[in-house]
Structures are given as C-alpha cells and as structure tokens.
Amino acid sequence: MGAALASILLFWLPVAQAASQIDVYHFESGSQEDRYKALIEEFRCPKCLNTNIAGSDAPIAQDLRRTVHRLVVIEEMTDQEVRDYLQERYGDFVLYDPPFNARTWLIWVVPSTVVAVGLIVLVLLQRRTRALTVPAGDVRERVAGILDE
Amino acid sequence: MRLNTSIPLVLFAGILVMGYLAFQLGDRHQLPSALIDRDFPEFVAPDLYDPASTIARADIVGFPVLVNVWATWCPTCKAEHEFLMEIAARSDVRIVGVNYKDDRIKALQWLADYGDPYDAVLMDLDGALGVELGVYGAPETFLLDATGKVLYKRVGDVNARIWQAEIAPRLEDLGVLIAQLD
C-alpha cells in the first residue's frame, strides 16, 4: 500500500511541478479566454525581438501576459484598449502590425517599391527578348527552303 | 551598358546601401521609450527600507531626478552600482531607485554591502510598476525634470561614457550642480 502510494507520488510529482511552470489564469467566459489568447499572440516580446509574448519564457513576457489577463478580465477592456495600453507603455515596437509614421515608413515602403521595380525590370526584359526573337514562321520557311535545295 | 548586365550590379549596390543603413540604425536591443517627453506615470509603491510606508510620484518630483531600475539578480547592475555611488558623491542629482522584481532582504544586503546612492528606494515586487514604465530589463534609468516629465531614458548601465555624453549635459541644462568626473 505504502509502495503503491509512493509510486503514485513519484509519478505525479514531476507532472505537477511541470504544470506549475505554466501560467494559470481564470476567465469568466470562453470568449474572454479566446480574446486573451488572440491578444498575447499579437504582441511582440520587448526583450526577445522575434517572439510574441505568448511564445516567450522571458520574465517580461510573463509580466505582459499577466497584464493582458488583468486588462481583459478585471479592467474589462476591449481589444483595442488593450493594444493602446501596451503601445502607450512599450511603443510601436510591441505591435507586430505597426502604424505608418515617421519612424516606420521604411518598412512599409521598401517591400512594395522593390516589387514595383522588379515588375518594371521584368516587363522591360520581356519586351527585349520578344524584339530579339525571330518569328517562328520565318524559321520554318528558311528550313523548308534549305531542305528543298 | 546593357540592361541585363546592369541588373546584378544595381542589386549589389542596393544590398550594400541597405547593409550600410542597417548598421547606422544602432543597437536594435535599445528600444525607444514611449515615455520620452511625457509625464512619468502616477504610482504608489512600498518603501524598501520601510515597506509599511509608501512612496508616490508626488514624493519624487519637484527636482530633476534620475530614476534607476535595478535588481540584485542583474549582473550589469553591479557594475552600474559603483558608478552610481560616484555620481551620488560628486553631483547634486537626486537618484531614486526602483528595486525591480527582487527579494527585499537581498536588496537591503546589497545596499549595506556596496553603499546606497539613492535618495529613496521603492519596491516593485511583481513588475507591475515596471510595465507602467515600459521597463523590459534591468538596469534602466529615466531622467525626469522638476515637473516629472521624462527627458531621457537609458536601457543598460549608466557608465562614465553615457554619463558624460547623455546625462550630465542634460542635468546641467536643468541647473543641477555636477563636479567633473575623472
């Protein structure tokens, strides 16, 4: 009996410890939980540059998840209010979808410019090759002429 | 020059220019603070030395002040601490410490061992004040004018170079007396 109890404890203790590493949050409704999950996917972790706060173990990401939970559940903020709250404190950086402004215009303008330039080059190249190609009909006539000889 | 030979050349030049610009951007780990030119947020936090009493925003404004976010678990803070001691000894600037997500006993021990450069130290046990301030690591240091407006923020340690180039001139503009550091 004692051994059985011990083995059960030995089996579950690490599991319980692993579970304690994960944030445990309570929500008043399923939709609240969905909004929380969607929101933490949306913000970038300020410390880790290329991870969102949902996917980061950095302490600051934990703090921000707790903050988002508080804003959604206790302060009952709308999604946009939560975004504004974090942007007010951490700047455009936390938004993966940054607004167009004096500091961010490059990231908006460069990709479309590169695509536009690429298209122009493509069109120019195609015109050039078309002009250089000998019409197919001419070749056939010439070959036929040579074969006749 | 023919079009199809100039394309790789133009591309190459473009990549060079981009690379040059990227290196001009500076440290990408230094995020611009959203608080610059705005009022330092309202807060009430327990006093490290006397947790039963609190320190609020009104208690720290009225003079130009450096608000330094630190912790005993932060290795860079140790190096910075020595320099803060020097600043405290050789200038009139007030320094307020925010002990960030730390253990009170360890923090008190640290100040007893290495000296206390702060005019006041408040505790942010769970990092909630840190979120209000847009803090994402320690150390971070804010420079506030007498009205409590944030003029400047340093992410990383305040050292002799940062002090001379970024902080001392701003403090002098605010009329704070500073002795020349060696």
Side-chain angles (χ1 to χ4, degrees), chain B residues 29-109:
Chain B
H29 292 269
Q30 294 267 348
L31 309 190
S33 173
L35 275 180
I36 300 290
D37 288 331
R38 291 195 2 220
D39 282 333
F40 196 79
E42 290 289 344
F43 69 87
V44 180
D47 188 332
L48 177 74
Y49 285 106
D50 177 18
S53 68
T54 57
I55 299 171
R57 182 184 187 277
D59 299 322
I60 70 161
V61 298
F63 302 89
V65 61
L66 287 176
V67 178
N68 175 243
V69 181
W70 65 283
T72 58
W73 47 260
C74 146
T76 318
C77 298
K78 176 71 188 68
E80 184 187 48
H81 193 83
E82 283 171 31
F83 191 71
L84 291 180
M85 289 299 293
E86 202 171 330
I87 291 174
R90 308 185 72 161
S91 76
D92 276 351
V93 67
R94 289 171 179 237
I95 310 177
V96 170
V98 176
N99 185 231
Y100 178 62
K101 299 181 75 172
D102 207 351
D103 178 88
R104 177 166 176 263
I105 302 300
K106 282 186 192 161
L108 289 172
Q109 191 59 48

Side-chain angles (χ1 to χ4, degrees), chain A residues 52-116:
Chain A
N52 56 19
I53 62 171
S56 171
D57 280 335
I60 184 63
Q62 290 169 19
D63 290 354
L64 291 181
R65 284 197 294 269
R66 200 177 58 233
T67 305
V68 169
H69 176 263
R70 176 173 63 84
L71 298 179
V72 169
V73 176
I74 296 165
E75 313 274 332
E76 295 181 338
M77 286 190 177
T78 64
D79 288 1
Q80 193 52 48
E81 281 167 343
V82 175
R83 284 185 202 110
D84 292 345
Y85 184 97
L86 285 183
Q87 188 189 5
E88 223 171 78
R89 284 156 184 79
Y90 286 90
D92 296 341
F93 186 90
V94 288
L95 307 175
Y96 265 121
D97 189 10
F100 187 89
N101 62 34
R103 248 172 350 96
T104 59
W105 65 272
L106 256 182
I107 54 173
W108 287 101
V109 167
V110 166
S112 40
T113 314
V114 168
V115 167

Side-chain angles (χ1 to χ4, degrees), chain B residues 3 28 93:
Chain B
L3 186 62
R28 63 202 185 102
V93 67

Side-chain angles (χ1 to χ4, degrees), chain A residues 14-67:
Chain A
V15 178
Q17 271 169 345
S20 68
Q21 306 285 319
I22 301 165
D23 312 329
V24 180
Y25 289 129
H26 296 284
F27 297 93
E28 282 161 18
S29 65
S31 73
Q32 231 176 27
E33 188 171 351
D34 292 343
R35 283 180 49 219
Y36 166 80
K37 283 182 178 156
L39 280 167
I40 61 171
E41 292 281 338
E42 222 178 273
F43 299 111
R44 187 174 174 190
C45 164
K47 192 74 190 173
C48 15
L49 301 178
N50 292 323
T51 326
N52 56 19
I53 62 171
S56 171
D57 280 335
I60 184 63
Q62 290 169 19
D63 290 354
L64 291 181
R65 284 197 294 269
R66 200 177 58 233
T67 305

